[in-house]
Each structure stands twice: as structure tokens, then as C-alpha cells.
Amino acid sequence: RRVLFRSEDVLKAISSVPGEIEFDNKIKDFGEVKRGQLLTHEFKFKNIGKGNLIVQGIHSSCGCMALETDEGKVYQPGEGGTISVQLNSTSFSGKLSKTVMVLTNQRSKSVRVLTLRAHVKNNILVNPPLVDYGTLSAGQVAHRKIKISSASETPLEITGLRHGDNIESQLLKESDKSWLLDVYVKPTDSRSEE
């Protein structure tokens, strides 16, 4: 008699009755956070089923990293674990909602969705936040005004500006918390310089 493959862990994991995952909480709301803050949370779960539970995969939305604490573990009935989630708020502003999908060996509801929420506050407000100068011809000058202000009670100090050769700017302090920036763009024709 020849046995090609036998593993007690695999046989237990492929039981006729799969486990069932239950999370203490599927939503974490961080409330108001500062831009650039690293948000971390551990979602705790428990196998409330009669069979073994396997977390088969974790998929997160853009900007979010999620890891099972005990990756590859087979959870016996009554046993628990955690899904650790990290989200860097640097690239976000305003209301933020990101999801993490947890795939298990359950026959029904095999995918569970965890949600992270926050309201990311900026230290500096720029109005308008994006400036479009459109298409400019060589020699043509375009002008835009940009207001830069502190989002808190803290005074805002701007000590200098850096920009390309085809841009001129003037900075005017309106108050301890607000500056007005005049930006002039004058494209050059690189062919005329040859």
C-alpha cells in the first residue's frame, strides 16, 4: 500500500463543515485626523462555526495595506485572530473611506468587507487647489491669483518660493494666517533659442 500525500492539518481544514468568521466590528472610524498621519487598526475576528476556518486572502483598496496576523493558520471552532490594517493619509484630503475584503473558506458569505473611515484635515488651504493655465503660445502671459492660508489658528509663514524660469510670482502677506500669491506664466519657444 502506497500513500502519496497525507497531512492531518489539510484533512482537518477540508472538513465537511467549514468555519464561520465573525468580526467584533467591521467598521473603524478614525474621526478627524491630520494629513500625513499613519492610521493603524486591528480588526478582531472569531471562528463561530462548527468547522475549521481558513482566511484564504485579503484584498485592500488603494492606499491601504492589510495583513492577517497569523497568515496561513487554520482556526479551530472558537479560536480567534486579527487582521492588521495600515493606511497612510498623506495622499488624501477630506472624507476618506477605504475597504478591505477578507476571503474565507465559508460556503455562504465567503467575502467579508471591512471599512476604514476618516476625515483628513489639511494644515494649509490652497484656493483654488488646482490651477489650469490652458494652452499658451510663446510670448503669451497668463496670470492667476492663489490664496494660501492656515487651516488652524496657527500663523502661516512662507519664507520662499521655487519655480521654473518661465514663471514669475509675487507673494503678498494678507494676515498672520493668509497669503496671496500672484503667478505669471510666460512659455518660451525652445525652437527660437536655437
Side-chain angles (χ1 to χ4, degrees), residues 102-142:
V102 180
L103 290 80
T104 68
N105 66 325
Q106 286 180 241
R107 289 195 182 111
S108 64
K109 298 182 185 176
S110 63
V111 177
R112 298 296 170 99
V113 178
L114 307 175
T115 305
L116 300 171
R117 293 182 184 150
H119 186 264
V120 182
K121 283 200 70 161
N122 289 321
N123 294 331
I124 298 173
L125 301 173
V126 180
N127 190 16
L130 179 65
V131 179
D132 184 359
Y133 286 90
T135 304
L136 301 174
S137 303
Q140 184 181 2
V141 177

Side-chain angles (χ1 to χ4, degrees), residues 83-194:
I83 306 288
S84 297
V85 182
Q86 286 187 344
L87 176 63
N88 188 336
S89 66
T90 300
S91 301
F92 304 101
S93 181
K95 288 185 180 181
L96 170 66
S97 182
K98 295 293 176 184
T99 58
V100 175
M101 293 190 315
V102 180
L103 290 80
T104 68
N105 66 325
Q106 286 180 241
R107 289 195 182 111
S108 64
K109 298 182 185 176
S110 63
V111 177
R112 298 296 170 99
V113 178
L114 307 175
T115 305
L116 300 171
R117 293 182 184 150
H119 186 264
V120 182
K121 283 200 70 161
N122 289 321
N123 294 331
I124 298 173
L125 301 173
V126 180
N127 190 16
L130 179 65
V131 179
D132 184 359
Y133 286 90
T135 304
L136 301 174
S137 303
Q140 184 181 2
V141 177
H143 171 248
R144 301 287 189 274
K145 290 182 182 275
I146 302 168
K147 185 170 185 169
I148 305 168
S149 55
S150 173
S152 65
E153 295 303 316
T154 307
L156 175 65
E157 190 64 36
I158 299 176
T159 58
L161 299 172
R162 287 189 290 176
H163 46 70
D165 293 338
N166 63 335
I167 298 175
E168 291 183 17
S169 62
Q170 293 178 340
L171 190 59
L172 173 67
K173 186 173 185 175
E174 292 184 314
S175 70
D176 284 345
K177 293 176 40 179
S178 177
W179 294 76
L180 188 62
L181 177 62
D182 280 320
V183 181
Y184 300 87
V185 176
K186 183 178 180 182
T188 57
D189 185 0
S190 59
R191 290 174 290 184
S192 65
E193 295 174 3
E194 293 178 359

